[in-house]
């Protein structure tokens, strides 16, 4: 195949992970996957498909990307409509409470949070799970939120 791949759509990397994590694919998601697949095919599969889509290529990078996705979701739930740093402060407080004094100790070995958990508690569960139960600094959370 010698045809040059079409220009890549905007939904790549973190934006593509966010779109793939949702329950309904969008046109932008499908275009991004299509463009990545065409680029992969055009190069004869020399470079892995996930590299063309700017997706994580190692388990650790995928874990961090998933954690960051849940940080952004949790921040929006913890302080909706607030400035990113304010969201990070609220989320940092919520995360410390959840891990140190909250349900994390009881839920840590579960694959998913209980269905009865609030949306915020579910998001906190995944942040903690993808970060091995470690607490994140407000500064780190703010950087993740800012790097959508």
């Amino acid at each position: 195949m010698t045809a040059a791949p079409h220009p890549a759509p905007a939904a790549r990397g973190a934006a593509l992970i966010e779109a793939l994590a949702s329950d309904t694919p969008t046109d932008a998601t499908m275009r991004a996957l299509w463009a990545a697949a065409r680029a992969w095919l055009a190069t004869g599969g020399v470079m892995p498909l996930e590299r063309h889509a700017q997706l994580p290529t190692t388990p650790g990078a995928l874990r961090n990307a998933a954690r960051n996705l849940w940080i952004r979701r949790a921040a929006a739930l913890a302080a909706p409509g607030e400035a990113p740093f304010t969201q990070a402060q609220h989320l940092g407080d919520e995360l410390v409470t959840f891990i140190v004094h909250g349900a994390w100790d009881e839920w840590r070995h579960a694959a998913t949070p209980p269905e009865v958990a609030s949306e915020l508690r579910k998001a906190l569960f995944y942040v903690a799970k993808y970060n091995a139960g470690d607490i994140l600094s407000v500064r780190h959370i703010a950087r993740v939120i800012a790097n959508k």
Side-chain angles (χ1 to χ4, degrees):
M1 305 249 145
T2 58
H6 296 290
R12 298 183 74 173
L16 182 57
I17 291 171
E18 180 79 34
L20 292 171
S22 71
D23 291 334
T24 54
T26 64
D27 288 341
T29 307
M30 298 310 292
R31 282 193 307 276
L33 290 173
W34 180 261
R38 294 223 358 120
W40 173 77
L41 191 59
T43 61
V46 173
M47 193 164 71
L49 181 61
E50 63 267 18
R51 295 292 297 251
H52 289 285
Q54 296 179 353
L55 293 172
T57 58
T58 65
L62 180 57
R63 194 171 41 255
N64 288 343
R67 179 203 61 206
N68 292 350
L69 176 138
W70 284 104
I71 285 172
R72 287 188 290 276
R73 288 182 178 178
L77 292 167
E82 295 290 338
F85 193 77
T86 304
Q87 285 183 329
Q89 290 173 315
H90 285 284
L91 179 55
D93 292 343
E94 290 282 351
L95 190 59
V96 167
T97 301
F98 179 79
I99 291 173
V100 176
H101 306 293
W104 176 244
D105 192 47
E106 185 179 327
W107 297 355
R108 73 179 337 130
H109 299 294
T112 60
E115 285 298 316
V116 297
S118 70
E119 291 304 309
L120 177 58
R121 293 289 177 259
K122 288 177 184 178
L124 290 170
F125 170 84
Y126 287 113
V127 171
K129 187 159 193 74
Y130 287 119
N131 205 50
D134 293 335
I135 295 169
L136 295 163
S137 71
V138 170
R139 186 175 184 186
H140 184 92
I141 293 169
R143 276 195 303 254
V144 169
I145 294 168
N147 291 326
K148 291 183 178 182

